[in-house]
């Protein structure tokens, strides 16, 4: 007894299916879709009706392989909850999407080995470019991307040794300006609250902090780097540690607005007057910094503008044009917390 076995397909409507329904050859369908001006109006309408009825979608992967080009860009971020991630992604989309490029977003969860696995898979997709929000990578990733002919863009913060293109903020100068502002306002016993983040970012913050404190002959030792995430609860939990270790504290710099607002909430619980007893400043100019009480002084990081500038630079590079990249300096937003 013979058994008829049906070959399992991809489930996609093919060019041949459209051609059969329209009663024409596959080359005619391909020509109508690629260069419609070369096909008669009557034939083109017939093919378009078949495409609409079958729901045909062009196989972009096959087209990319055939033409040795691609309109897919991979973007790997440490976390989708990373500060400014969605805004930078929106800025990139604003520039790249109208040009026909699609961004595939992936999350490495702050793990180098996961980033390596993701890029190993994504690089097999004949990418037009790769965008990385982190600049800490494994040796394999740096080698793969360094040897690649496609553009590689690292965004978010400036780095001393980028793989290829690099556009972002100067964290060193931003932290220096924020700390210097407090010093100029007369604060003498300033602390720095950091939390779980990539080591290279922490080092940049520390560099800017030391630059301001040491140039003004002030002690830079009041620093806590919490192992937990830079959240509201971390800020609230760490404030008592500062007050216990340094009761003379009169100002606190936090590396995120969430940390700063957590410290503000703890001040209110302990009836510590802000800024009368203690000044608190943050970093990022998030929505919460504008509505908390008192309003939080912070550094406004233009995340969407970073994405837009990065998109323009990448698009120029993809079009074999000159691209420009420079450090973006956040601006001070002074409110009532200091």
């Amino acid at each position: 007894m013979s058994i008829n076995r049906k070959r399992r397909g991809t489930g996609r409507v093919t060019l041949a299916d459209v051609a059969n329904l329209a009663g024409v050859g596959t080359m005619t369908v391909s020509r109508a879709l690629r260069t419609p001006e070369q096909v008669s109006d009557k034939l083109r309408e017939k093919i378009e009706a078949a495409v609409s009825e079958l729901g045909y979608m062009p196989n972009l992967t096959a087209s990319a392989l055939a033409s040795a080009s691609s309109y897919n860009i991979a973007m790997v971020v440490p976390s989708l909850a990373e500060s400014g991630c969605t805004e930078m992604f929106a800025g990139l989309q604003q520039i790249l999407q109208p040009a026909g490029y699609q961004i595939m977003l992936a999350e490495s969860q702050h793990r180098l080995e996961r980033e390596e696995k993701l890029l190993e898979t994504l690089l097999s997709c004949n990418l037009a470019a790769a965008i990385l929000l982190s600049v800490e990578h494994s040796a394999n990733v740096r080698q793969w991307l360094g040897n690649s002919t496609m553009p590689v863009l690292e965004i978010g913060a400036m780095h001393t040794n980028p793989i290829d293109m690099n556009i972002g903020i100067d964290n060193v100068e931003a932290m220096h300006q924020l700390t210097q502002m407090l010093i100029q306002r007369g604060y003498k016993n300033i602390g720095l609250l950091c939390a779980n983040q990539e080591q290279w970012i922490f080092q940049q913050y520390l560099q800017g902090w030391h630059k301001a404190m040491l140039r003004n002959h002030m002690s830079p030792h009041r620093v806590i780097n919490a192992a937990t995430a830079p959240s509201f609860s971390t800020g609230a939990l760490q404030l008592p540690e500062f007050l216990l270790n340094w009761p003379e504290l009169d100002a606190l710099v936090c590396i995120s607005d969430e940390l700063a607002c957590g410290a503000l909430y703890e001040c209110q619980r302990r009836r510590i007057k802000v800024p009368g007893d203690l000044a608190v400043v943050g970093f990022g100019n998030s929505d919460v910094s504008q509505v908390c009480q008192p309003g939080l002084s912070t550094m406004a990081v233009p995340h969407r503008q970073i994405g837009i500038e990065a998109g323009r630079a990448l698009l120029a590079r993809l079009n074999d044009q000159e691209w420009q990249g420079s450090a973006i300096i956040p601006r001070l937003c002074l409110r009532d917390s200091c």
Side-chain angles (χ1 to χ4, degrees):
M1 179 178 177
S2 64
I3 300 175
N4 290 327
R5 299 185 184 275
K6 185 176 180 181
R7 183 174 64 85
R8 187 172 68 178
T10 63
R12 295 178 64 98
V13 176
T14 67
L15 205 67
D17 295 329
V18 176
N20 288 334
L21 182 60
V24 297
T26 55
M27 290 298 293
T28 303
V29 174
S30 179
R31 188 181 304 111
L33 295 177
R34 291 175 180 272
T35 53
E37 67 279 0
Q38 295 183 9
V39 179
S40 67
D41 292 343
K42 184 177 180 179
L43 190 55
R44 185 172 64 251
E45 289 171 4
K46 190 176 183 181
I47 292 170
E48 287 174 351
V51 167
S52 177
E53 181 177 339
L54 293 174
Y56 172 72
M57 297 290 290
N59 189 333
L60 298 178
T61 302
S63 299
L65 289 171
S67 63
S69 64
S70 171
Y71 281 87
N72 291 326
I73 296 173
M75 181 175 179
V76 180
V77 302
S79 169
L80 295 174
E82 194 83 7
S83 176
C85 177
T86 54
E87 283 294 297
M88 283 188 280
F89 180 73
L92 286 162
Q93 287 277 74
Q94 182 178 329
I95 301 300
L96 296 173
Q97 200 169 47
Y101 290 95
Q102 299 298 325
I103 301 177
M104 301 182 292
L105 189 59
E107 184 183 48
S108 68
Q109 299 173 341
H110 290 280
R111 291 159 52 196
L112 295 184
E113 68 277 10
R114 179 168 174 78
E115 182 190 61
E116 185 173 314
K117 287 290 185 183
L118 285 169
L119 284 170
E120 186 177 14
T121 301
L122 291 168
L123 288 172
S124 66
C125 298
N126 192 32
L127 298 173
I131 302 172
L132 307 174
L133 187 54
S134 167
V135 295
E136 273 192 327
H137 316 291
S138 69
N140 281 339
V141 166
R142 292 195 71 87
Q143 183 178 4
W144 293 341
L145 297 178
N147 293 336
S148 172
T149 57
M150 70 177 180
V152 177
L153 173 62
E154 292 168 291
I155 67 169
M158 297 303 293
H159 187 46
T160 55
N161 185 31
I163 296 172
D164 185 12
M165 306 171 70
N166 185 202
I167 292 178
I169 66 169
D170 186 338
N171 281 315
V172 177
E173 182 58 28
M175 180 56 70
H176 173 258
Q177 286 188 18
L178 186 60
T179 309
Q180 186 67 31
M181 178 272 295
L182 288 173
I183 295 171
Q184 290 174 348
R185 286 178 170 240
Y187 295 100
K188 303 293 184 183
N189 304 300
I190 308 172
L192 174 64
L193 175 56
C194 302
N196 187 26
Q197 65 210 295
E198 293 186 70
Q199 186 63 23
W200 65 277
I201 287 281
F202 175 58
Q203 292 299 327
Q204 288 185 348
Y205 287 141
L206 272 186
Q207 188 178 340
W209 162 260
H210 280 97
K211 179 181 175 182
M213 297 295 282
L214 294 177
R215 283 187 177 180
N216 288 277
H217 310 290
M218 299 173 70
S219 173
H221 72 278
R222 301 181 192 87
V223 177
I224 290 180
N225 186 23
T228 49
S231 62
F232 297 106
S233 57
T234 298
L237 289 171
Q238 292 303 319
L239 180 65
E241 292 294 321
F242 270 102
L243 298 177
L244 180 64
N245 288 289
W246 303 291
E248 74 279 8
L249 190 76
D250 61 5
L252 181 63
V253 178
C254 302
I255 57 93
S256 79
D257 289 341
E258 290 74 19
L259 281 174
C261 285
L264 279 180
Y265 299 153
E266 184 63 15
C267 284
Q268 292 170 2
R269 194 180 74 82
R270 290 171 173 257
R271 291 179 169 79
I272 297 173
K273 296 178 181 178
V274 178
D277 300 326
L278 178 68
V280 179
V281 298
F283 204 102
N285 196 33
S286 60
D287 286 343
V288 70
S289 71
Q290 303 171 46
V291 298
C292 63
Q293 184 60 37
L296 183 67
S297 292
T298 183
M299 293 297 290
V301 180
H303 291 114
R304 184 177 287 262
Q305 189 60 35
I306 291 172
I308 290 173
E309 293 299 325
R312 288 171 177 163
L314 185 57
L315 189 59
R317 177 74 173 275
L318 288 166
N319 292 328
D320 295 322
Q321 299 170 352
E322 291 291 326
W323 68 278
Q324 291 184 345
S326 59
I328 297 171
I329 306 297
R331 61 179 176 84
L332 278 166
C333 285
L334 298 178
R335 301 190 179 104
D336 295 334
S337 68
C338 71

